[in-house]
Structure formats: C-alpha cells, structure tokens
Amino acid sequence: MENSSAERKQQLALDIADGNDPSDAAKNPDGRTKLQGLFKQLSLLDRYLYVWIFIVMAVSIIFGYYVKGVKKAFQVAEITSVSLPIAIGLWVMMYPVLCKVQYEMLGGVLRQAGSLKTISLSVVLNWIVGPALMTGLAWATLPDLPDFRTGVILVGIARCIAMVLIWNDLAKGDADYCAILVAINSILQIILFAPVALLYLKVVSRGKGFHVSSWTVAKSVLLFLGVPLVAGVLTRLILMNAFGRKWYESKFLRFIGPWALIGLLYTIFVMFSIQAHQIVDNIGHVVRVAVPLLLYFGILFFGSLGICRWLKVPYPLMVTRCFTAASNNFELAIAVAVGSFGIDSAQALAATIGPLIEVPVLLLFVYIVGFFQRKGPSV
C-alpha cells in the first residue's frame, strides 16, 4: 500500500509523539539516519526540552523567592504531605505515558525468554545496590551534615514509579517492560520502603527522629501511581473499544502526547517555587548535597549501561533498565521527610534537591543513550 509524502511525514511525527523508534522510517537508501530531518520533525517542546527545563527551574526559583505568599498559595491543600498542585502535575505528567502502554500485551511480554532475568536484575539494582550506594556516598560526602545526609539517603531508598515513565518514553525505551518494572517497584515499595529506611537510617546511620509506616508509603504509591494508572488503563480499554485502535493511536495519543512534558514543566515550576527560599538561603549546603546525588545518578546509570552493553541487551530494554535503576521517587522522599521532620527541615530540603539534580541529569542521559540508539538496534 503506497503512502503519499504527506502521509509518511504524518506517520513519522506520530511515531515520535508515541515514543516509537522512527529510525527505520528516517533512513535513506544508504542506511544513514537523516538526523537533521528527524530533529525538524520534533515539536518545539520536544526539540528544546532541556532549554525549557533550565528556564523553568531558574524562573521558578526567582518567582518563589521574590513573590510573597507563593509557598502558602501552592500549599493551600496537601495530599500525604505533598502539595496538591504538585500532585496534579504528577498526574498530568504520567497520564499520557500510561495511556500508551499496551496492557493487553503485558502477559506475552512476561512470558518472553529473558523476562525473569531482566526483572531480577532490576530488583537487585533498585533495592540492594541503589540504597546501599546512596548511603555510602552520603556518609562519604556529608559526614558533618547528618540532617542533610538523612534526606539524601531517603532519596536513594525511594525507588522511582513516576518520572522513569517520562525518561523511558523520551529515550524510546520499552514501554511495556517499563510498566511491568514500575508495577513491581510499586509493590516492593509498599513492602520494603519502611524496613529498608529503618535499616539505613537507624541501624547503619544510628539516626533518630525517623518515623514512617507502610501505610504512609502505600498511600503515596496509590495516589501518585494508582490514580493515573487506573485512568490510563480505563482510557485505553474504553476508547479503543469505542473508536478502534487506529483512531486511538493516530488521534487520541497525538492529542494528549504533549501533556506529559507540560505536566513535567509545571511540576518543576511548582516544586522549586515552594522551596525557593530554602534553596537560595542554603545554597552552600545545596551544592554539597548535589555531590552525592550526581555521583549516585552517574554510577547507577552508567553501571547499568555497562552491564547491558556487556550482555548485548537490545536498545529499548537497555534504556528501561538504566532509567529504572537511576531514577528515584522524589515525591515519596519529600512526603516522608516532611511528615517525619517538618516542611522547613534540612531533611526535607535535601529531599527537594533530589529532583533539582535528577531532572537535568537524567535528561542529559536521555541524549546520551540516543547516541547508542543511532549506532544500531542493539549494543
């Protein structure tokens, strides 16, 4: 079936919006990727995302620091110690990504050869390597700042169930595997967060004043993952049955696609506006807290990348493994820090610095893994 030039361009744009790999459609007869043409096909929001993120971060800190009443306005209502505007931003950010997941295919994905190895490696990296590495780095770099160290350790223990969907989508990872790993991490988070946090904060670090229950963690998971997940599943099932797969993928997903990045930018704006005074007034400590976080993200990401390249893992699965290992659940870390130590505590500030570092760093990693994607389907 022959397509016109306009139809081919429309399909390429749809592939990009849906997070699919458009490289096959963008290759010339010599097999070289038309990177410049592909770049031009991206929307303005996608093309300069790193610019928008840095602009929003800078503007939000200036706005929150100089405009009176911003913090109080954004915290007018809270859900599990997290600002309602931030919760709304997280829901908007995650909903389009979760609408793309092919839930009807997940059973087949789990039955594929190598699935157990992929899931087992992810669990080890997330629940054994990650928390231990962050605790070690926090002690090595912040020996004289116990309160900030506690906040950093909380970030390392809270495994990602939200932002990883965005990074995986931007880097064109395997959406189905990512959904499975997020679901597993969500269940393990409810079971393991409290005991792992107690192990590293009270036994290893001999800290005091830390109190968290499994129900606190469960509420965070149900609200920040459960709500958009249920919405995504119902949306896909209802609309595909009503209008068909072609309409759903060519019309609806294209319509809601930009919402994810808009939700990301909005969440960053609200979050940094609320903590603007804390960030500016403690800039020296902020810089120091950034050190273990930078080391952590770099070691976990590139360590996972090295393992995947050694095992010759296909690009989509490599991306999913790397971002699942290196991402963290900052909303849970902030909620627990605020609930245990107070909104203006050093622990809460350290937890807030987590996304301040994570967002631009993992966005950089998206561009880095894109280099490996251009080298071939597997590495």
Side-chain angles (χ1 to χ4, degrees), residues 51-67 70 74 265 268-270 272-274 276:
V51 176
W52 309 137
I53 284 179
F54 281 113
I55 290 175
V56 169
M57 288 171 65
V59 170
S60 62
I61 291 174
I62 295 172
F63 179 77
Y65 190 80
Y66 288 104
V67 178
V70 170
F74 279 140
L265 296 175
I268 292 171
F269 179 82
V270 175
F272 292 149
S273 294
I274 291 174

Side-chain angles (χ1 to χ4, degrees), residues 250-308:
S250 64
K251 300 294 184 181
F252 181 73
L253 289 184
R254 288 188 66 187
F255 171 70
I256 66 169
W259 295 9
L261 298 185
I262 293 172
L264 170 63
L265 296 175
Y266 165 81
T267 303
I268 292 171
F269 179 82
V270 175
M271 185 165 51
F272 292 149
S273 294
I274 291 174
Q275 292 291 344
H277 279 279
Q278 285 282 78
I279 293 172
V280 174
D281 295 342
N282 296 276
I283 192 63
H285 290 157
V286 168
V287 172
R288 287 194 59 186
V289 168
V291 174
L293 292 170
L294 285 169
L295 291 172
Y296 169 84
F297 293 130
I299 292 172
L300 264 187
F301 185 86
F302 289 108
S304 301
L305 185 65
I307 293 173
C308 289

Side-chain angles (χ1 to χ4, degrees), residues 326-360:
S327 302
N328 291 87
N329 186 349
F330 64 79
E331 61 271 19
L332 175 59
I334 293 172
V336 171
V338 170
S340 298
F341 305 102
I343 184 64
D344 294 318
S345 64
Q347 292 89 341
L349 175 58
T352 302
I353 297 170
L356 178 68
I357 305 302
E358 177 177 344
V359 170

Side-chain angles (χ1 to χ4, degrees), residues 116-338:
L116 181 60
K117 183 169 66 174
T118 296
I119 293 171
S120 299
L121 178 59
S122 176
V123 170
V124 170
L125 289 172
N126 274 279
W127 291 102
I128 297 178
V129 177
L133 176 63
M134 185 67 94
T135 302
L137 291 172
W139 269 97
T141 57
L142 303 171
D144 58 329
L145 297 175
D147 293 341
F148 285 94
R149 186 174 64 236
T150 295
V152 169
I153 293 173
L154 281 174
V155 172
I157 297 170
R159 310 317 301 167
C160 193
I161 59 172
M163 292 292 289
V164 65
L165 294 166
I166 295 293
W167 307 130
N168 186 73
D169 188 56
L170 288 172
K172 300 179 179 64
D174 191 307
D176 297 331
Y177 263 115
C178 190
I180 291 171
L181 295 179
V182 164
I184 291 172
N185 268 342
S186 301
I187 296 170
L188 291 178
Q189 197 145 242
I190 296 172
I191 299 171
L192 296 178
F193 183 89
V196 171
L198 291 173
L199 170 65
Y200 284 108
L201 293 178
K202 285 202 168 185
V203 178
V204 176
S205 301
R206 298 184 180 182
K208 298 179 180 180
F210 175 75
H211 305 284
V212 61
S213 67
S214 295
W215 173 234
T216 299
V217 182
K219 283 191 296 183
S220 178
V221 172
L222 290 172
L223 284 168
F224 300 125
L225 176 65
V227 170
L229 176 61
V230 170
V233 171
L234 292 178
T235 298
R236 186 174 183 90
L237 293 177
I238 293 172
L239 293 187
M240 282 185 61
N241 286 332
F243 301 102
R245 178 183 292 272
K246 184 176 180 181
W247 177 89
Y248 182 81
E249 294 181 348
S250 64
K251 300 294 184 181
F252 181 73
L253 289 184
R254 288 188 66 187
F255 171 70
I256 66 169
W259 295 9
L261 298 185
I262 293 172
L264 170 63
L265 296 175
Y266 165 81
T267 303
I268 292 171
F269 179 82
V270 175
M271 185 165 51
F272 292 149
S273 294
I274 291 174
Q275 292 291 344
H277 279 279
Q278 285 282 78
I279 293 172
V280 174
D281 295 342
N282 296 276
I283 192 63
H285 290 157
V286 168
V287 172
R288 287 194 59 186
V289 168
V291 174
L293 292 170
L294 285 169
L295 291 172
Y296 169 84
F297 293 130
I299 292 172
L300 264 187
F301 185 86
F302 289 108
S304 301
L305 185 65
I307 293 173
C308 289
R309 294 192 66 191
W310 178 61
L311 295 174
K312 300 186 183 302
V313 176
Y315 175 83
L317 289 181
M318 178 187 76
V319 167
T320 301
R321 284 184 179 181
C322 292
F323 282 108
T324 303
S327 302
N328 291 87
N329 186 349
F330 64 79
E331 61 271 19
L332 175 59
I334 293 172
V336 171
V338 170

